[in-house]
Amino acid sequence: MPYCDPTVAFVNAGMNQFKSVFLGQQSPMYTRVSNSQKCVRVGGKHNDISIVGSDGYHHTFFEMLGNWSFDDYFKKEACEMAWNLLIGPYGINPSSLYVTYFAGDTKMNLESDLECRDIWKSIGIADDHIVPFGSKENFWEMGATGPCGPCTEIHIDHLGQKNRSLDVNRGLPDLTELWNIVFIQYNRNINGTISLLPKRHIDTGMGLERLTAILQNKSSNYDTDIFSNLFNYITKKCKGLPVYAGKFGANDLKGIDTSYRILADHSRMITACLADGMIPEENQKLRRILRKAMLISETVFKQKKGLITELTKVVSDNLGAVYPEMEKNLSQIQEIIMYEEEVYKSIRLTASKDWYKLLEKEPKLKDLNVLEMPGLVTAYNELISLNTQTISSQLAFKLYDSYGLDEFTIQSLSEALNLKFESEYLKKELDLARKRTKLGFLSRNTFENITQNLIKQNISKTDDSFKYNYCLKNDAYEFDDVDIKVLKIIKNGKEINSIESNTECYLVLDRTNLYSEAGGQNSDKGFIKFGNEKLFKINDTLNINGYIFHKGEFASDGKLQIGENGLLSLDKEYRLKNMANHTATHLLNAALKKVVNNGVTCQKSSTVTPDYLSFDVGVYSKKLSIEDIEKVEHLIGDAIRNSVCVNVSEINSQQLLNLSDVTLIPGEVYPEVGIRLIEIETRDLFSREPCCGTHVRNTSDIQDICITNVRSLGRSTTSLTAVTRDRAILARTNGEKIINKVMNIKEKLNLSTIELNILDKSISQLKQKLNHNLDDEFILPVYVKSECLKILDDLAKRLRDSERDSLKQFIDLEMKSVIETNECRTKNNKPYIVHFLGCSSILDNVPLQRATKVCANVPVIVISYSDDMAKARCCVPQNMVTDKFNAELWLNNTVVNVFKSSSSAPKGQDATLVCNMKAKRIKKIHWDSLIEEALVSAKKFADTYL
């Protein structure tokens, strides 16, 4: 994982970690270094993913061996050491080796590197084994600008035949590059010219896998013992599978050996990346590799799940001694893979069906794999609906961000649909997305233009180092005020020379002690005093390219002009609350890691405000329970009560990479120098994080912490909200009060000393109080909220049961009264009942079946009206059914007709015996006349046909 390099998604070369040394940003810890660097190549210029498995020497993951000189030895020593190692300890036949050198470049105005050629000659290499090449092959550059230089390569002829100098660099599998030695002696300037560097360096690289194949006399890297353990395990696990035979191309008839190679390679890459803390959710290329391995595991090796998880143990056994993070994080690696298998399984079930339907219409999409990218179906539908000829940068970003398509897949989709797509535009859009931020009442473009003008005017960037100048004296924090000068005044996006009273604007100052939003922490607030009369109130700050814009209002009479001097003070209480919440966030992260234990947690994001902190974390095992939250809170509480020092130190990227047990955020880019390291160590917790935020000096200054909310943000992400200091105390006090109220209601229900309608209202009010906002005064501990909800839900259920019993009693009493006093009879003296259930108007739920059961031996129509909804039920005993009179005829020709509704029999019953009218909304103003008409018509029908 490249922690300090925003230009690459993976470390893809041995020199990545030394970029800052080459650029002159850091001094090296040693002038001579040798190392083995884990490298991944799955995108951009170095993209080996599509080739892996098809030949014997390409890999997504490999180890790059290197030796380095930082302004120490140079060309002669580098060439001699490389040659002597190869033909000495490694015993390689020198006649099979060829060397190349830089032939010069007229466009760069660089001559041929004859010095390098002569060094090889002096070592004893024959002229016909020394070959010149141009800048494409033999001039190395870090990027568009920066350190660069000619290089020399050592190639090996695997066949050992006659002179093959003409075959060097022709891409032949039997004559390959073995070692590259770069002479970093130039700098590529912004204008494209080349100039000499004040210091010269050596950068060499040799792939361990290729070297191993040569030393073990194998024609393919995959035939070495680096891969044999993986192949053997796959064969052992997959019964009846042919052993790995090392076949390629047409000889590998069913692609079994190719699949062996892909699965073994990808297992190594997956293990290395996950061990370094990468998360598939945060890196689509890693997720794509993982899903491809899962697909091969299932379709070729017939293992639905578990094979990749087990292969990570084989990789760890093989590489763990050199890279101990693999052994240490093995359980974490395997938890994430098992989680990803479940995710992949669920989305495949739906995506694949739709995709196969789509392929029937669009066979040209057959080369795309929906099982690797399940978002392809919706992405395709989006493109078709837009009817576009071009995939714009914004559309490409949506395909990437919303549907999970990587650059390679978008490119493939555009080719299949014959749409124009420029990958460079997507990269620019991704860069913009990283830079986007909430910037108040000006757009970022406006600020960018302003900062460009400031640079042209040679105005120095704001010195904000004073934000860290504070100390703890006599149990109180002291924050230094700062003398400042107003450099620029910005109003409505324009630079002005002065402002009048009560005017909102931005001030650019030469210095500031205010913190600008970064690392999730809110910006500071403060004020500037200009003499004794003028005041500028600051409510926000923005850091744009090193210039700090202070947003606020000039709140005094008179004018404020450019060039005026003042005294800047920060809002001390506001800052202290931010500091306490930020340190608490670090403790929360550490506590979650400890409580989840064998599970995996990964910080997604955090927000630090004076009122609360929020922390979004990926949990790749069991879901966090209320018991887990209580344990987390208890651990942090212990750390606070034990008054532990919060240690802050400043390190560079080299020192950061040498530290163990460091919590790093996946995808976060850390600076090369000036990294602030925050360390807290208690008896039960250990936290070590690089962080640019401001923190309390001692955990006791947090005073207290209370987790107030836990909610799910998706399949794996949980968001926790907490408060500290006085708000934590407030939350606990509120918790005690509401618990007492809930228990009081419970007691009253148990003793039946409260009316049901009053009890129902009290329960509703308390439930409403539990749904507080983050900035409410009625904040609560989350475990109190959980316990109260359980009790209130139980009380509500008991209340509903009581209401149901009361409801039955109401209906029973009314219907019995009807039978006794209001039963109708026809002219033939046959009994029947037509009745509007009067009690229905005061009941929430009216079970008409209950009403008709009371009079099961006579024909009956019962009508109810509750909450503006009319319902009816009709029952006719079997012995009273005729061709002209039954439940369906009676109800449809009377009540249903009046209310303009419809009817049906209950499921599985005979409509002639039982029939229900579908509920119909009736306005109150129409009810009296309609019910009267319905009752009259129902009685008339019974009198006529019963």
Side-chain angles (χ1 to χ4, degrees), residues 450-459 488 508 547 549:
I450 292 170
T451 56
Q452 289 304 314
N453 289 335
L454 295 175
I455 292 170
K456 290 177 182 177
Q457 297 168 33
N458 292 320
I459 293 177
K488 287 291 177 184
V508 178
Y547 292 99
F549 293 77

Side-chain angles (χ1 to χ4, degrees), residues 345 469 626 783:
K345 178 182 177 182
N469 288 1
I626 289 297
Y783 52 85

Side-chain angles (χ1 to χ4, degrees), residues 1-17 19 37-49 59-62 266 268-290 400 406 434 666-669:
M1 179 184 289
Y3 297 116
C4 301
D5 188 351
T7 65
V8 291
F10 301 91
V11 170
N12 59 12
M15 54 68 60
N16 284 158
Q17 61 180 299
K19 261 190 182 182
Q37 172 65 57
K38 293 175 294 181
C39 294
V40 169
R41 291 185 176 175
V42 292
K45 177 182 176 183
H46 302 290
N47 186 1
D48 294 347
I49 186 171
H59 309 283
T60 57
F61 168 81
F62 63 96
H266 288 8
R268 281 161 46 90
M269 184 263 194
I270 291 162
T271 306
C273 291
L274 296 181
D276 257 18
M278 280 192 182
I279 299 294
E281 280 187 332
E282 307 293 324
N283 191 306
Q284 290 297 330
K285 289 178 180 176
L286 172 57
R287 176 168 265 180
R288 183 182 170 212
I289 296 282
L290 181 54
Y400 173 91
D406 60 15
R434 295 186 190 104
E668 186 75 17
V669 177

Side-chain angles (χ1 to χ4, degrees), residues 107-127:
K107 290 183 180 179
M108 291 191 287
N109 198 27
L110 292 177
E111 296 181 354
S112 177
D113 190 0
L114 300 181
E115 179 189 4
C116 176
R117 182 200 64 183
D118 293 342
I119 289 171
W120 287 122
K121 283 186 176 183
S122 69
I123 290 173
I125 301 176
D127 287 351

Side-chain angles (χ1 to χ4, degrees), residues 215-232:
L215 298 182
Q216 294 182 2
N217 197 28
K218 304 293 185 182
S219 59
S220 163
N221 297 354
Y222 292 97
D223 291 337
T224 66
D225 56 13
I226 292 175
F227 292 92
S228 58
N229 287 347
L230 288 163
F231 293 154
N232 292 340

Side-chain angles (χ1 to χ4, degrees), residues 552-801:
E553 180 184 5
F554 181 48
S556 303
D557 294 332
K559 285 186 177 182
L560 176 63
Q561 296 179 319
I562 289 177
E564 289 199 42
N565 297 310
L567 187 67
L568 173 57
S569 303
L570 59 78
D571 184 328
K572 297 176 183 179
E573 188 62 24
Y574 190 92
R575 163 70 82 85
L576 182 55
K577 289 178 179 178
N578 271 333
M579 288 161 52
N581 283 342
H582 205 150
T583 305
T585 303
H586 284 222
L587 290 172
L588 176 59
N589 198 1
L592 281 166
K593 290 181 181 296
K594 186 174 181 68
V595 168
V596 173
N597 199 7
N598 290 329
V600 183
T601 66
C602 169
Q603 179 179 345
K604 298 289 188 72
S605 65
S606 65
T607 301
V608 176
T609 76
D611 294 327
Y612 65 90
L613 66 94
S614 69
F615 188 79
D616 296 346
V617 60
V619 181
Y620 302 94
S621 54
K622 63 170 187 173
K623 291 289 184 183
L624 286 171
S625 66
I626 289 297
E627 291 74 20
D628 292 331
I629 299 303
E630 289 191 76
K631 289 177 185 176
V632 166
E633 193 175 287
H634 180 74
L635 282 169
I636 302 172
D638 279 350
I640 294 170
R641 287 184 287 273
N642 291 334
S643 301
V644 179
C645 285
V646 179
N647 297 309
V648 182
S649 58
E650 197 167 286
I651 60 174
N652 60 37
S653 60
Q654 294 180 64
Q655 293 167 314
L656 176 65
L657 293 173
N658 286 327
L659 288 172
S660 59
D661 298 318
V662 183
T663 298
L664 299 167
I665 303 173
E668 186 75 17
V669 177
Y670 300 93
E672 293 286 351
V673 295
I675 301 170
R676 288 170 61 83
L677 189 70
I678 314 299
E679 295 178 286
I680 310 169
E681 185 170 6
T682 73
R683 182 184 60 193
D684 298 312
L685 289 180
F686 178 74
S687 172
R688 176 184 281 161
E689 292 190 45
C691 177
C692 62
T694 58
H695 292 266
V696 292
R697 300 296 194 212
N698 192 287
T699 58
S700 61
D701 297 320
I702 301 172
Q703 296 180 1
D704 194 6
I705 189 169
C706 181
I707 298 173
T708 58
N709 196 29
V710 179
R711 61 193 179 99
S712 174
L713 297 181
R715 190 187 294 267
S716 66
T717 304
T718 300
S719 181
L720 297 92
T721 306
V723 291
T724 63
R725 296 172 68 82
D726 56 339
R727 286 188 65 76
I729 296 168
L730 174 64
R732 296 193 190 285
T733 303
N734 289 340
E736 291 174 6
K737 289 179 181 178
I738 199 166
I739 279 284
N740 289 336
K741 287 182 180 180
V742 170
M743 298 311 292
N744 184 40
I745 290 178
K746 184 177 182 180
E747 184 179 356
K748 287 182 178 180
L749 181 60
N750 290 339
L751 297 176
S752 300
T753 58
I754 185 170
E755 294 182 18
L756 293 181
N757 61 329
I758 297 175
L759 179 62
D760 186 35
K761 188 175 181 181
S762 299
I763 291 174
S764 297
Q765 288 175 342
L766 283 174
K767 279 191 171 183
Q768 195 171 1
K769 268 196 168 186
L770 294 176
N771 295 320
H772 59 80
N773 294 321
L774 294 176
D775 52 359
D776 280 352
E777 287 303 300
F778 198 76
I779 50 177
L780 291 168
V782 69
Y783 52 85
V784 168
K785 187 193 303 184
S786 176
E787 182 63 24
C788 286
L789 281 172
K790 285 180 184 177
I791 296 172
L792 291 174
D793 285 343
D794 179 62
L795 293 179
K797 182 178 181 301
R798 289 170 60 185
L799 182 61
R800 287 194 299 271
D801 291 343

Side-chain angles (χ1 to χ4, degrees), residues 363-530:
K364 56 192 172 185
L365 301 175
K366 62 179 173 41
D367 292 334
L368 299 177
N369 194 334
V370 72
L371 299 183
E372 290 183 31
M373 290 281 171
L376 269 171
V377 176
T378 30
Y380 169 85
N381 292 333
E382 171 94 1
L383 289 172
I384 295 302
S385 67
L386 293 173
N387 193 27
T388 181
Q389 300 299 313
T390 303
I391 299 180
S392 65
S393 58
Q394 292 85 357
L395 179 55
F397 180 77
K398 183 176 183 180
L399 298 176
Y400 173 91
D401 189 54
S402 301
Y403 305 128
L405 273 59
D406 60 15
E407 180 188 326
F408 174 81
T409 308
I410 297 172
Q411 183 71 54
S412 302
L413 189 60
S414 69
E415 291 170 1
L417 298 178
N418 198 26
L419 301 177
K420 184 180 178 182
F421 168 61
E422 297 290 343
S423 60
E424 287 302 314
Y425 295 142
L426 172 60
K427 291 172 184 174
K428 289 179 181 177
E429 194 68 28
L430 292 173
D431 288 338
L432 285 174
R434 295 186 190 104
K435 293 178 182 177
R436 282 185 201 119
T437 184
K438 189 177 180 181
L439 294 178
F441 51 83
L442 287 181
S443 71
R444 183 168 190 104
N445 285 338
T446 301
F447 280 109
E448 297 281 5
N449 293 334
I450 292 170
T451 56
Q452 289 304 314
N453 289 335
L454 295 175
I455 292 170
K456 290 177 182 177
Q457 297 168 33
N458 292 320
I459 293 177
S460 299
K461 295 184 177 181
T462 309
D463 180 2
D464 68 342
S465 60
F466 303 96
K467 64 191 176 187
Y468 298 126
N469 288 1
Y470 57 92
C471 60
L472 186 61
K473 287 184 180 179
N474 300 322
D475 297 326
Y477 280 87
E478 294 184 2
F479 301 89
D480 294 343
D481 295 338
V482 177
D483 293 314
I484 61 89
K485 181 177 182 179
V486 178
L487 302 180
K488 287 291 177 184
I489 301 175
I490 314 296
K491 181 183 177 184
N492 298 328
K494 296 180 179 179
E495 298 180 30
I496 57 176
N497 294 322
S498 64
I499 51 170
E500 305 284 344
S501 177
N502 301 319
T503 303
E504 276 194 345
C505 66
Y506 288 90
L507 301 184
V508 178
L509 310 177
D510 62 337
R511 308 196 301 173
T512 186
N513 59 356
L514 300 190
Y515 184 86
S516 298
E517 183 176 351
Q521 180 178 327
N522 270 17
S523 297
D524 281 337
K525 293 183 178 182
F527 57 90
I528 308 172
K529 283 185 177 180
F530 297 92

